[in-house]
Amino acid sequence: MSVFVIGTSEYLVAGLLPQVGADLRVSVGAAGQTVTAYALGVVIGGPIVTVLTVRLPRKALALGLMALFAAGSAISALAPSYEVLLAGRVVSSLGHAAFLALALVTATGVVPAERVGTAIAAVVSGFTAATLLGVPLGALLGQGAGWRVPFAVLTGLALAGTALLAAVLPRQEARPTRVRDEVRVVTRRPVLLAIATTAVGFSGWPRCSPTSRRC
């Protein structure tokens, strides 16, 4: 549920740019920077948050990251200006990457060894559901009821997810580790190859002729 909420928030605003722009009196292009701000928060803030919280107990960290995300969603829903909306998007994004990594690690630690694959699939399915259902339904809601309403709904769902985690997630202490050890893992050749492959895949974009309807 928490991964679904976070995944929906990432791309939700992309379907509401005209409404956001008209309400906050900015161009559609400027409204689109709210997507960029979120992405930069994930790419830059995610590793920083992970490093700063590497020694915190896992349950407390999960609750804190979801509370941070809920706060960012609430700021976005109530934003009186474009600048405040950007700030809310950045606040939400800071917990995105760290929470996803934490969710995967935690899920594999609370199930038997033979169900690790199922646990990982369950966590990742939150993003799949967000892409297929959360984003289009959120955009539809925003177009009918106003762009702020989906962010308010996400805030409520994030708080509900936080409460559920507090109730059912077992306590897990952080493994003793150092930042240097984490950096060493990330800079291993197989990891860098996986990152590069993912980056190339996501950077692909069709080239279209200005006079053609087909790409």
Side-chain angles (χ1 to χ4, degrees):
M1 176 180 176
S2 298
V3 172
F4 168 79
V5 172
I6 291 176
T8 299
S9 176
E10 181 176 8
Y11 297 113
L12 170 65
V13 73
L16 301 171
L17 297 182
Q19 291 86 347
V20 173
D23 185 34
L24 300 181
R25 299 181 181 179
V26 297
S27 67
V28 173
Q33 295 305 312
T34 57
V35 180
T36 304
Y38 192 99
L40 290 175
V42 171
V43 173
I44 299 174
I48 295 176
V49 171
T50 301
V51 168
L52 294 177
T53 59
V54 68
R55 296 185 179 181
L56 294 180
R58 304 295 88 182
K59 181 174 182 177
L61 179 56
L63 297 179
L65 291 174
M66 282 306 299
L68 180 66
F69 175 84
S73 294
I75 293 172
S76 299
L78 300 172
S81 66
Y82 173 68
E83 291 76 16
V84 175
L85 175 60
L86 282 177
R89 294 288 289 168
V90 171
V91 170
S92 293
S93 71
L94 291 178
H96 178 120
F99 183 84
L100 178 59
L102 178 64
L104 290 170
V105 172
T106 303
T108 59
V110 297
V111 298
E114 65 272 12
R115 298 197 62 188
V116 167
T118 302
I120 293 175
V123 172
V124 176
S125 69
F127 265 117
T128 303
T131 303
L132 295 177
L133 297 175
V135 173
L137 290 178
L140 183 63
L141 175 63
Q143 292 169 6
W147 68 270
R148 298 176 186 273
V149 174
F151 284 102
V153 172
L154 287 177
T155 301
L157 290 176
L159 293 175
T162 304
L164 285 173
L165 289 173
V168 305
L169 191 65
R171 292 183 60 85
Q172 288 185 344
E173 297 298 326
R175 292 181 301 175
T177 185
R178 296 173 298 179
V179 174
R180 183 172 58 186
D181 297 331
E182 299 291 329
V183 173
R184 185 181 297 115
V185 171
V186 173
T187 54
R188 291 175 57 191
R189 183 175 179 180
V191 177
L192 292 177
L193 179 61
I195 293 174
T197 303
T198 303
V200 171
F202 275 103
S203 65
W205 192 260
R207 297 181 62 185
C208 304
S209 168
T211 59
S212 175
R213 296 182 180 180
R214 299 182 63 185
C215 300

